[in-house]
Amino acid sequence: MNLHENMVAGVIFDLDGTLMSSELDFTLIKAQIGCPAELDLLSFIAQLPSPYMREEAMNIVHQHELIDAQHATLLPGVAQAVARLKQQALPMAIVTRNYDRAAALKLKNNPLPIQTVLTRSDAPAKPDPSALNAIATLWEMEQQHVLYVGDYLYDIQAAHNANMRACLYAPSDIPAYANQADYIVKHFSELPGLINQLNEKQLLSQSSHSTAL
């Protein structure tokens, strides 16, 4: 694929809090499994001393995720933005820290034209870049041409760990870590415009470079 170095040719989305609503109460979940508030939930479970303890803790997480999945709805502007990107023939995928059954239920109840979905059942959870890199390989695309869109610090870190650009979706308050993202959108309707703007800028600089030659 012959692309100018900074063109966006594919988009990967986070799921919870980005494409769909989520009411997971992490404070409650952590309290139920004895995870200190400041630690990452999945990392805490992974280091529990016995398989039985890990399984019990994960069962509690799964219950919360499935209940949350039953109530999830698409966030404002998502359906329209995804439809516009599909019209532009941009490949799209989802990478979520959810487990497969919860993610599948959310997408069954709120269908989107996105076929490729990787969960923590498929690859190590973000900020590990494995899932993002797997999608770039699937698309036969260099990482720099993929934009990752998410609403949390782990999304920005996963994108940068995969040498992709990070777009932070921040619908309300701008978090302190927002300055680590390459781009910020406050509403999903801004996303197709941002991608078009980036690609037009690249085409313009490419054509002016060709003229100069």
Side-chain angles (χ1 to χ4, degrees):
M1 194 180 291
N2 186 19
L3 292 168
H4 193 273
E5 60 178 327
N6 285 323
M7 286 190 80
V8 175
V11 185
I12 306 175
F13 296 100
D14 170 45
L15 186 64
D16 287 2
T18 301
L19 297 177
M20 297 196 194
S21 65
S22 174
E23 291 167 9
L24 283 172
D25 184 341
F26 287 103
T27 308
L28 174 62
I29 300 170
K30 286 179 177 183
Q32 286 179 344
I33 64 169
C35 172
E38 70 280 3
L39 293 186
D40 174 63
L41 182 64
L42 297 180
S43 305
F44 173 79
I45 293 172
Q47 58 79 50
L48 285 171
S50 77
Y52 172 76
M53 289 170 78
R54 291 194 289 275
E55 188 181 349
E56 285 295 292
M58 204 48 95
N59 283 343
I60 291 170
V61 176
H62 287 168
Q63 286 166 16
H64 281 276
E65 286 181 312
L66 286 171
I67 291 165
D68 181 57
Q70 288 163 19
H71 303 121
T73 55
L74 287 176
L75 291 173
V78 166
Q80 298 86 335
V82 167
R84 276 187 64 191
L85 295 177
K86 187 167 175 62
Q87 280 172 353
Q88 293 168 26
L90 275 178
M92 290 178 283
I94 292 169
V95 170
T96 173
R97 278 170 64 100
N98 252 333
Y99 92 117
D100 50 5
R101 279 184 62 200
L105 183 57
K106 286 191 172 191
L107 289 160
K108 179 171 175 276
N109 293 343
N110 305 278
L112 285 168
I114 301 176
Q115 305 305 320
T116 306
V117 181
L118 292 184
T119 70
R120 69 165 187 269
S121 313
D122 306 302
K126 298 172 293 185
D128 188 292
S130 303
L132 280 67
N133 286 328
I135 289 165
T137 303
L138 175 72
W139 289 344
E140 298 181 346
M141 197 179 287
E142 288 180 36
Q143 276 88 338
Q144 71 202 50
H145 297 303
V146 182
L147 182 68
Y148 187 73
V149 183
D151 68 316
Y152 188 57
L153 176 62
Y154 290 156
D155 301 316
I156 300 171
Q157 291 171 335
H160 290 162
N161 289 342
N163 296 316
M164 296 177 182
R165 278 170 287 171
C167 177
L168 179 70
Y169 171 58
S172 44
D173 297 336
I174 304 287
Y177 52 77
N179 59 357
Q180 295 178 45
D182 299 283
Y183 316 105
I184 299 171
V185 293
K186 286 187 73 70
H187 193 279
F188 244 82
S189 58
E190 299 167 28
L191 185 64
L194 169 69
I195 292 169
N196 289 342
Q197 192 183 350
L198 291 170
N199 289 349
E200 281 166 17
K201 196 190 291 183
Q202 292 307 316
L203 289 170
L204 281 171
S205 69
Q206 196 171 17
S207 62
S208 61
H209 181 64
S210 313
T211 319
L213 295 174

